[in-house]
Amino acid sequence: MTKKRKYLSYSLPFILFFMMLIDGHISSRILAVLSVPMDFTSNLLLLFLMFATFQMEKPYLVITSGVIGLLYDSYFYNVVGINFILLPLIVLVMYALFEHVYPNTFTLILSFIVFVTALSLGRVLLLTIFNLTHTTVLDFFARTLAPTLIVNICLIAILVVPLKKMFNVGK
Protein backbone atom coordinates (compact mmCIF):
# COMPACT_ATOMS: atom_id res chain seq x y z
CA MET A 1 0.00 0.00 0.00
CA THR A 2 1.45 3.34 -1.03
CA LYS A 3 1.85 6.15 1.46
CA LYS A 4 -0.81 8.26 -0.31
CA ARG A 5 -3.29 5.38 -0.34
CA LYS A 6 -2.67 4.69 3.35
CA TYR A 7 -3.21 8.36 4.19
CA LEU A 8 -6.38 8.41 2.07
CA SER A 9 -7.78 5.32 3.80
CA TYR A 10 -7.64 7.18 7.13
CA SER A 11 -8.85 10.54 5.88
CA LEU A 12 -11.51 9.43 3.35
CA PRO A 13 -14.32 8.81 5.88
CA PHE A 14 -13.87 12.34 7.22
CA ILE A 15 -13.71 13.81 3.71
CA LEU A 16 -16.90 11.96 2.73
CA PHE A 17 -18.68 13.07 5.89
CA PHE A 18 -17.65 16.66 5.19
CA MET A 19 -18.88 16.36 1.57
CA MET A 20 -22.21 15.05 2.86
CA LEU A 21 -22.60 18.15 5.02
CA ILE A 22 -21.51 20.48 2.21
CA ASP A 23 -24.07 18.84 -0.12
CA GLY A 24 -26.87 19.82 2.23
CA HIS A 25 -25.66 23.39 2.52
CA ILE A 26 -25.17 23.86 -1.22
CA SER A 27 -28.65 22.55 -1.93
CA SER A 28 -30.34 24.68 0.74
CA ARG A 29 -28.43 27.85 -0.23
CA ILE A 30 -29.26 27.56 -3.92
CA LEU A 31 -32.91 26.86 -3.13
CA ALA A 32 -33.02 29.86 -0.79
CA VAL A 33 -31.53 32.15 -3.44
CA LEU A 34 -33.75 30.93 -6.27
CA SER A 35 -36.98 30.64 -4.23
CA VAL A 36 -38.66 28.45 -6.85
CA PRO A 37 -40.56 25.19 -6.30
CA MET A 38 -37.69 22.81 -7.01
CA ASP A 39 -36.08 20.05 -5.05
CA PHE A 40 -32.59 19.02 -6.02
CA THR A 41 -29.52 17.52 -4.45
CA SER A 42 -25.89 18.43 -4.81
CA ASN A 43 -23.90 15.19 -5.06
CA LEU A 44 -20.35 16.04 -4.00
CA LEU A 45 -20.42 12.94 -1.82
CA LEU A 46 -21.14 10.77 -4.86
CA LEU A 47 -18.47 12.60 -6.85
CA PHE A 48 -15.81 11.89 -4.23
CA LEU A 49 -16.97 8.27 -3.97
CA MET A 50 -16.55 7.91 -7.73
CA PHE A 51 -12.99 9.22 -7.63
CA ALA A 52 -12.17 7.16 -4.54
CA THR A 53 -12.91 3.97 -6.50
CA PHE A 54 -9.61 4.52 -8.31
CA GLN A 55 -7.56 4.50 -5.11
CA MET A 56 -9.38 2.39 -2.54
CA GLU A 57 -10.10 -1.31 -2.29
CA LYS A 58 -13.65 -2.37 -3.08
CA PRO A 59 -14.63 -3.84 0.35
CA TYR A 60 -13.29 -0.77 2.17
CA LEU A 61 -15.21 1.70 -0.02
CA VAL A 62 -18.43 -0.32 -0.03
CA ILE A 63 -18.44 -0.47 3.77
CA THR A 64 -17.47 3.20 4.09
CA SER A 65 -20.21 4.24 1.66
CA GLY A 66 -22.73 2.20 3.66
CA VAL A 67 -21.74 3.93 6.89
CA ILE A 68 -21.86 7.36 5.23
CA GLY A 69 -25.23 6.41 3.71
CA LEU A 70 -26.50 5.52 7.18
CA LEU A 71 -25.34 8.90 8.50
CA TYR A 72 -26.85 10.64 5.47
CA ASP A 73 -30.21 8.96 6.06
CA SER A 74 -30.31 9.80 9.74
CA TYR A 75 -29.22 13.41 9.16
CA PHE A 76 -31.36 14.36 6.15
CA TYR A 77 -34.27 11.90 5.99
CA ASN A 78 -34.75 10.57 9.55
CA VAL A 79 -35.40 7.25 7.79
CA VAL A 80 -32.63 4.67 7.72
CA GLY A 81 -32.20 2.63 4.58
CA ILE A 82 -32.39 4.79 1.48
CA ASN A 83 -28.77 5.88 1.07
CA PHE A 84 -27.59 3.02 3.24
CA ILE A 85 -28.70 0.75 0.40
CA LEU A 86 -28.16 2.97 -2.64
CA LEU A 87 -24.63 4.29 -2.03
CA PRO A 88 -22.95 0.86 -1.66
CA LEU A 89 -24.87 -0.44 -4.69
CA ILE A 90 -23.74 2.51 -6.80
CA VAL A 91 -20.15 2.09 -5.58
CA LEU A 92 -20.27 -1.55 -6.73
CA VAL A 93 -21.55 -0.41 -10.13
CA MET A 94 -18.73 2.16 -10.27
CA TYR A 95 -16.12 -0.54 -9.72
CA ALA A 96 -17.73 -2.75 -12.36
CA LEU A 97 -17.92 0.10 -14.87
CA PHE A 98 -14.37 1.35 -14.43
CA GLU A 99 -12.99 -2.16 -14.92
CA HIS A 100 -14.14 -1.81 -18.54
CA VAL A 101 -14.04 1.94 -19.23
CA TYR A 102 -10.88 4.05 -19.29
CA PRO A 103 -11.36 7.03 -16.95
CA ASN A 104 -10.68 10.07 -19.11
CA THR A 105 -12.36 13.41 -18.49
CA PHE A 106 -15.23 12.74 -20.89
CA THR A 107 -16.06 9.27 -19.53
CA LEU A 108 -15.84 10.53 -15.94
CA ILE A 109 -18.34 13.30 -16.64
CA LEU A 110 -20.74 10.97 -18.46
CA SER A 111 -20.39 8.32 -15.76
CA PHE A 112 -21.12 10.85 -13.05
CA ILE A 113 -24.29 11.95 -14.87
CA VAL A 114 -25.43 8.31 -15.00
CA PHE A 115 -24.63 7.78 -11.30
CA VAL A 116 -26.46 10.95 -10.25
CA THR A 117 -29.48 9.89 -12.30
CA ALA A 118 -29.41 6.38 -10.80
CA LEU A 119 -29.13 7.76 -7.27
CA SER A 120 -32.00 10.22 -7.82
CA LEU A 121 -34.22 7.55 -9.38
CA GLY A 122 -33.36 5.10 -6.60
CA ARG A 123 -34.17 7.65 -3.91
CA VAL A 124 -37.54 8.59 -5.35
CA LEU A 125 -38.39 4.94 -5.98
CA LEU A 126 -37.60 3.92 -2.39
CA LEU A 127 -39.32 7.00 -0.96
CA THR A 128 -42.42 6.20 -3.02
CA ILE A 129 -42.40 2.50 -2.07
CA PHE A 130 -42.34 3.40 1.61
CA ASN A 131 -44.97 6.16 1.17
CA LEU A 132 -42.58 8.90 2.25
CA THR A 133 -43.28 11.01 -0.83
CA HIS A 134 -46.10 11.46 -3.27
CA THR A 135 -44.81 12.72 -6.58
CA THR A 136 -45.73 12.25 -10.18
CA VAL A 137 -43.28 11.22 -12.86
CA LEU A 138 -43.54 14.64 -14.52
CA ASP A 139 -42.93 16.47 -11.23
CA PHE A 140 -39.92 14.27 -10.51
CA PHE A 141 -38.31 14.89 -13.88
CA ALA A 142 -39.12 18.62 -14.06
CA ARG A 143 -38.65 19.69 -10.44
CA THR A 144 -36.07 17.24 -9.12
CA LEU A 145 -34.01 15.38 -11.71
CA ALA A 146 -33.44 18.22 -14.20
CA PRO A 147 -32.25 20.75 -11.58
CA THR A 148 -30.17 18.05 -9.87
CA LEU A 149 -28.43 17.21 -13.12
CA ILE A 150 -27.78 20.89 -13.95
CA VAL A 151 -26.18 21.58 -10.56
CA ASN A 152 -24.11 18.39 -10.62
CA ILE A 153 -22.92 18.85 -14.21
CA CYS A 154 -21.65 22.29 -13.15
CA LEU A 155 -19.93 20.76 -10.11
CA ILE A 156 -18.15 18.04 -12.07
CA ALA A 157 -17.17 20.45 -14.84
CA ILE A 158 -15.42 22.58 -12.22
CA LEU A 159 -13.95 19.74 -10.13
CA VAL A 160 -13.07 16.97 -12.61
CA VAL A 161 -9.50 18.11 -13.32
CA PRO A 162 -8.51 18.86 -9.69
CA LEU A 163 -10.04 15.58 -8.50
CA LYS A 164 -8.28 13.61 -11.25
CA LYS A 165 -4.99 15.01 -9.98
CA MET A 166 -5.90 14.51 -6.33
CA PHE A 167 -6.85 10.85 -6.83
CA ASN A 168 -4.25 10.09 -9.57
CA VAL A 169 -6.90 9.04 -12.06
CA GLY A 170 -5.90 8.11 -15.58
CA LYS A 171 -2.19 7.70 -14.89
Side-chain angles (χ1 to χ4, degrees):
M1 183 181 279
T2 65
K3 187 175 182 179
K4 185 171 185 167
R5 185 181 262 180
K6 186 176 180 182
Y7 172 74
L8 188 60
S9 68
Y10 294 123
S11 62
L12 188 64
F14 298 106
I15 293 169
L16 294 175
F17 181 74
F18 187 65
M19 290 302 111
M20 177 191 81
L21 296 176
I22 289 175
D23 278 342
H25 290 292
I26 289 173
S27 300
S28 65
R29 288 291 150 215
I30 293 174
L31 284 172
V33 169
L34 295 179
S35 66
V36 293
M38 288 189 291
D39 181 32
F40 64 88
T41 307
S42 163
N43 285 300
L44 284 173
L45 172 64
L46 188 64
L47 182 62
F48 273 74
L49 281 170
M50 181 177 80
F51 279 95
T53 60
F54 299 105
Q55 287 294 317
M56 305 310 300
E57 298 294 324
K58 188 188 300 186
Y60 174 83
L61 198 57
V62 169
I63 291 168
T64 303
S65 66
V67 171
I68 293 293
L70 186 66
L71 293 171
Y72 194 106
D73 288 340
S74 62
Y75 186 74
F76 289 110
Y77 292 132
N78 291 330
V79 175
V80 174
I82 295 165
N83 289 292
F84 178 67
I85 294 169
L86 291 174
L87 288 178
L89 286 176
I90 290 176
V91 166
L92 288 171
V93 171
M94 288 175 184
Y95 277 106
L97 176 72
F98 290 122
E99 285 178 5
H100 304 290
V101 175
Y102 180 76
N104 62 35
T105 303
F106 182 70
T107 59
L108 288 169
I109 291 171
L110 287 180
S111 300
F112 184 64
I113 291 168
V114 170
F115 298 140
V116 167
T117 303
L119 184 61
S120 296
L121 286 170
R123 282 179 181 157
V124 78
L125 181 67
L126 289 174
L127 287 169
T128 303
I129 287 172
F130 294 111
N131 288 324
L132 298 172
T133 189
H134 302 287
T135 186
T136 65
V137 173
L138 184 59
D139 274 346
F140 169 71
F141 282 109
R143 293 186 181 175
T144 303
L145 187 60
T148 295
L149 287 174
I150 289 169
V151 167
N152 287 292
I153 289 170
C154 293
L155 285 174
I156 194 166
I158 293 167
L159 296 173
V160 68
V161 173
L163 288 174
K164 277 178 67 174
K165 289 180 181 177
M166 181 179 161
F167 287 96
N168 293 326
V169 176
K171 292 184 180 179

